[in-house]
Amino acid sequence: MNEPTTRSETIIGIDLGTTNSEVAVFRDGRAVVIADENRRKILPSFAGIGDDGAVLVGEAAKNQYPLYPERTVRSIKRKMGSDERVELAGKSYTPQEISAIILRRLKSIAEQHLGESVNKAVITVPAYFNDAQRQATREAGRIAGLEVARIINEPTAAALSYEAAHHGRKHILVYDLGGGTFDVSVVRIEDEVVEVLASHGNNHLGGDDFDQKIVDHLLRHLQEKEKVDAKVSRQAMARIGRAAEAAKITLSDQPFAMIEEEYLLENQGRPVHLSVELAREDYEAMIEPYIRETLEAVHIALKGAELTVADIDEILLVGGATRTPLVEQRLEREFKRQPRGEVDPDLCVAMGASIQAAMVAGQDVASVLVDITPYTFGTSAVGEIDGVPTLHRFVPIIHKNTPIPVTKSEVFYTMLDHQKAVDVKIYQGEDPDAQHNVLLGRFLVEGLSKAPAGNPIVMRLFLDLDGVLNVSAKEKKAGLEKSITIDNALRRYAEEELEVARARIGALFEDEEETIEAAPAEALEEGEEAQSQHAVVQARALVEKAERMLPEATPEDREDMVDLIETLKDAMDAGDNAAMKKSVEALSDILYYLES
Ligand code: AMP
């Protein structure tokens, strides 16, 4: 029996990272990462001394780093196990002591949350850490008042966070791209035994290098456009650094990032503002050589484990920088399987450490539960399937197994000069042919500005925990936007139900299916007839939405809505386009007001 007889002693799990650290505890069958009093689960691995001589840890120390590097220490993990000492506000410290400052803070975050004192921890270290480095980590724990119950490898912890309840044998590739380090490990998990077969990596490669590429790009822009060298101002460089990281994170979910820093610095008495837009495509070209380097390391690790790509059963994504879509894409291309990232890549090592801690304490450990979408959501576009041109190429936007809530955007381009409208269809499914997936909804963005082909339209999908999918499409240039909300997007369809659903949704559009499907999905230059059919589709969708929203409207709005729904239905039946347009506008206004 694994059930604890008395309430077992709490052992916390700690991921003591180069850039960030986290603390987790296993409670009620779940690994939970503990947040601090500001609801932050991630503690930057920075320690410092503030203006008033007080010790600063985490965010506060990170914030002062660009201005007071002599009073701040970062990336101390790189020095663990060495005799090197670091200077902090004029005093010298061992790496163990600095790490202990971070560990003390994590211990106190756990104690505040649990309401009890905590004296034991499982701490993770990279698989390549030698004895001296592991010993130094133990010592750091002791200095912080923590008995280190176990030191475990980070890839082992990551594998545990996914596979704690696994039976049988599996080979897992753990791809860990953090802020400043990259590690890849091949792990074998067999019943309860997790073994690292081989590891490889680069101690100086990570998301910070991606930031640096953006920083260089911004500096070049300032030099060329404003004839100014921002490097002369430490403060300006700190702002550029922060803006670059923020843009990088935006580009993980959106096709463009706007970088704006007003009054960045002065040039000959004149203020210099920074305002640059960065496209994901251009950013990806900047970081591509880094990703290629990580893939070379993956192959070295595989060779070390005497395995091939085909032997790998799972790829696990660890480290914040694996949220970069290009990472997932390249791994998928290499391994012909989708990497798993459903356990938060920033938190899974700490979660795995807490699972190990629970095992040490004799608790019963089940698999870890996370909220993810089991489906892929996307749209259709002109493209190719197996080399054959098609109008219905499925373009995934939110991939299955993504943790929710999630927001993702993609950019699409109009195909024709002066294209007036875009027909947006939203599908759920995995088939490259959108027609074989389930059509969840559809809407038309009309009145686009007069632009040559290639006018960018940004589509944004937001899926919340209740399975409500909100879709919007926006003409980037003019800001014209349309959106719909799809309830129940996460309803689980059985195979046979899929057929029924496809037929049902298909029937909704039966009249116009032929004419509309014949036009390119993204490239509509329609005749009048097709336009009026679209207007009917739009009106029908609006009526449905209005009916759904009736219960939440005030009595006066409800009365107006009911009247407008009636008038709209009459206009649709009579084929009176002008009347339809008028009611659609009035009803849209009320719905817009209700939603905002
Ligand atoms: P870690 O050391 O695992 O905490 O990873 C930190 C790195 O992940 C930093 O370089 C972050 O800027 C980066 N990161 C965090 N979130 C994202 C994101 N959404 N997209 C890309 N990089 C991210």
Side-chain angles (χ1 to χ4, degrees), residues 85-149:
R85 299 178 73 89
V86 290
E87 288 282 319
L88 187 59
K91 284 199 185 142
S92 149
Y93 295 88
T94 62
Q96 289 92 315
E97 287 168 328
I98 302 291
S99 288
I101 295 176
I102 297 165
L103 288 172
R104 265 184 71 125
R105 174 78 182 123
L106 294 169
K107 175 178 181 304
S108 115
I109 291 171
E111 286 173 339
Q112 274 173 32
H113 171 83
L114 296 166
E116 60 184 87
S117 85
V118 173
N119 306 305
K120 275 192 180 179
V122 167
I123 304 181
T124 59
V125 295
Y128 62 78
F129 255 28
N130 61 26
D131 274 353
Q133 292 167 306
R134 285 166 200 260
Q135 188 53 29
T137 307
R138 273 185 193 283
E139 287 162 8
R142 222 167 297 140
I143 298 169
L146 285 168
E147 181 192 325
V148 181

Side-chain angles (χ1 to χ4, degrees), residues 19-20 22 42 176-180 206-208 211 245 248-249 252-253 283 318-324 345-346:
T19 320
N20 292 311
E22 296 84 21
I42 294 179
D176 181 351
L177 189 61
D208 299 349
D211 299 349
E245 184 181 11
K248 170 186 78 174
I249 290 172
S252 287
D253 295 322
Y283 163 65
V318 181
T322 58
R323 292 208 182 85
T324 311
D346 284 315

Side-chain angles (χ1 to χ4, degrees), residues 217-268:
H217 175 75
L218 298 177
L219 290 178
R220 261 196 315 274
H221 171 89
L222 285 168
Q223 187 63 262
E224 280 161 21
K225 194 146 175 271
E226 305 286 344
K227 307 274 174 280
V228 63
D229 180 9
K231 285 207 266 317
V232 297
S233 159
R234 222 194 233 189
Q235 210 139 12
M237 286 304 287
R239 284 177 65 188
I240 291 175
R242 272 197 293 270
E245 184 181 11
K248 170 186 78 174
I249 290 172
T250 300
L251 290 172
S252 287
D253 295 322
Q254 289 173 36
F256 299 96
M258 197 62 213
I259 304 166
E260 256 165 325
E261 292 289 323
E262 291 202 336
Y263 299 97
L264 185 63
L265 71 172
E266 283 206 348
N267 188 19
Q268 294 166 352

